[in-house]
Amino acid sequence: MNTFGKIYTLTSFGESHGPALGGVIDGMPAGMTIDFDEVRRQMSRRRPGRDALVTPRNEADEVEFLSGIMDGITLGSPIGFIIRNTRQRSGDYREMEHAFRPGHADFTYTEKYGLRDWRGGGRASARETAARMVAGALAAQVLAMKGITVKARLVMAGGVPNTATGEDELCDEVREAIVAARAAGDSIGGVVECTVHGVPAGVGEPAAGKLQAMLAAAMMSVPAAKGFEYGMGFAGAARRGSEVIDNWVSAPDDPRGMRAAANNSGGIQGGISNGEDIVMRVAFKPTATLLRDVQTVDDSRNEITLHARGRHDPCVAVRAVPVVEAMAAMTVLDAFLLSKAHIPAGGL
């Protein structure tokens, strides 16, 4: 299950401390001119070591495209790429070779496969999302040609609202919360909100392929994601129908001739986009690796005290922002391409 999507797909490979990560993108339309500078910019947003508030593992995250692109133009064939790992320090994890780290996939991977890559979490590491950033950056460029934009921001970290509004910007209070957690050898979680603007009405595949189900599956595949909601989400469960109903009103200046007075539905009704902004939120847990003593067991089931070393994010939600954007772009492009597969009877 390392392939995402149905028409626009990414098959990713690689481990956190292996020679490289990479992937194969299929379903990219031919004739697209790729903005490689924009790909680099998107990669830099997720890149480790870019800021004092994230892991100090300083990777360049340069993408090497191997196929599917000639003279900067997509050929319609599979796009292969790699991202080389250059700053891995596997020795930092040697003491974890036999320890099951609390909150990590060490135990479950061992149960499933009979062994695990203990170097930085291996395939379960959030480093795997670097490949998703590439596929998302390309998908976003296709969507932009159709007037569709995807923007995400951190709205809360450690219970502190992020009042900053710029791309990837953090307010002073959130920065202080992250610094305090790191100083204590602890971590905090956060919530990322993502808005997709410009999706035309009619995108989505009921009943088993609803647009919100596709988005939820994509977001919940991101490491450390613990919750997903769209539109009014869980808050709507405590309200009356009269308070949250999306009344339609006439709007001659809208291509649909109408619009929703509110957008409590989050741009999706019946699993299909209704032309309003698609708004979703993803909750991320506090980083499981704590730089303090924790109690656990080893693979012989002996109780041990583990003091983790290595380079870790005190708040994974910070670098999850561009990953959420990437997954949303991939999913919406895939759903858009799927919607084009429906041909009215008169058009056959």
Side-chain angles (χ1 to χ4, degrees):
M1 299 299 291
N2 296 293
T3 299
F4 300 90
K6 292 180 173 62
I7 295 180
Y8 183 81
T9 66
L10 166 69
T11 300
S12 66
F13 63 84
E15 291 81 34
S16 176
H17 285 226
L21 301 157
V24 177
I25 300 167
D26 207 356
M28 169 63 79
M32 280 288 303
T33 299
I34 300 301
D35 184 343
F36 293 108
D37 287 337
E38 177 61 13
V39 173
R40 293 188 191 95
R41 190 185 78 83
Q42 291 297 330
M43 293 298 293
S44 72
R45 295 175 62 202
R46 194 219 69 98
R47 185 178 68 83
R50 63 173 174 81
D51 187 283
L53 298 182
V54 303
T55 171
R57 176 175 173 173
N58 195 2
E59 294 281 3
D61 278 359
E62 288 290 338
V63 184
E64 300 177 41
F65 288 100
L66 307 176
S67 64
I69 302 174
M70 182 178 69
D71 298 329
I73 300 175
T74 59
L75 298 171
S77 54
I79 298 174
F81 65 91
I82 60 172
I83 306 162
R84 299 187 187 276
N85 290 324
T86 60
R87 299 295 179 88
Q88 62 269 55
R89 294 198 320 227
S90 301
D92 286 351
Y93 296 86
R94 177 62 68 177
E95 64 183 290
M96 305 178 202
E97 182 176 0
H98 298 289
F100 292 141
R101 294 171 297 168
H104 283 271
D106 298 343
F107 171 70
T108 52
Y109 264 60
T110 301
E111 286 295 294
K112 183 172 181 64
Y113 298 107
L115 74 166
R116 64 183 172 88
D117 185 347
W118 48 267
R119 305 166 304 167
R123 185 70 176 156
S125 169
R127 177 111 185 97
E128 177 266 335
T129 61
R132 307 185 193 204
M133 288 297 302
V134 179
L138 298 189
Q141 293 186 31
V142 178
L143 294 176
M145 292 183 61
K146 301 184 177 299
I148 300 172
T149 59
V150 184
K151 296 295 180 184
R153 59 182 293 266
L154 183 74
V155 294
M156 184 276 288
V160 180
N162 182 27
T163 57
T165 58
E167 182 180 74
D168 302 329
E169 188 178 342
L170 305 177
C171 67
D172 291 341
E173 292 79 6
V174 167
R175 285 182 168 272
E176 290 169 2
I178 296 173
V179 169
R182 167 171 273 172
D186 214 330
S187 62
I188 57 176
V191 175
V192 176
E193 182 175 86
C194 183
T195 300
V196 186
H197 175 76
V199 179
V203 177
E205 305 300 316
K210 293 181 177 180
L211 183 54
Q212 73 267 31
M214 294 176 66
L215 288 165
M219 298 307 164
M220 294 306 293
S221 74
V222 178
K226 284 295 182 182
F228 172 86
E229 65 176 12
Y230 73 102
M232 59 186 169
F234 286 96
R239 309 288 293 277
R240 291 191 175 189
S242 57
E243 296 177 294
V244 300
I245 191 171
D246 274 333
N247 297 96
W248 290 107
V249 296
S250 178
D253 58 337
D254 192 290
R256 299 166 296 171
M258 54 193 254
R259 63 177 176 80
N263 189 23
N264 293 313
S265 298
I268 304 171
Q269 292 170 325
I272 304 170
S273 62
N274 66 5
E276 301 291 329
D277 285 352
I278 296 172
V279 183
M280 70 200 86
R281 287 164 295 280
V282 188
F284 289 89
K285 70 177 183 178
T287 311
T289 300
L290 306 180
L291 299 182
R292 56 165 66 178
D293 288 347
V294 295
Q295 302 305 307
T296 188
V297 299
D298 61 23
D299 50 18
S300 296
R301 305 308 191 264
N302 299 308
E303 292 187 357
I304 60 172
T305 298
L306 176 67
H307 190 99
R309 293 188 298 148
R311 300 159 293 179
H312 307 281
D313 292 273
C315 179
V316 294
V318 172
R319 288 202 296 139
V321 171
V323 179
V324 167
E325 279 188 18
M327 296 306 295
M330 289 171 57
T331 304
V332 170
L333 177 57
D334 195 34
F336 186 86
L337 294 172
L338 280 167
S339 72
K340 295 303 179 183
H342 297 294
I343 305 173
L348 288 174

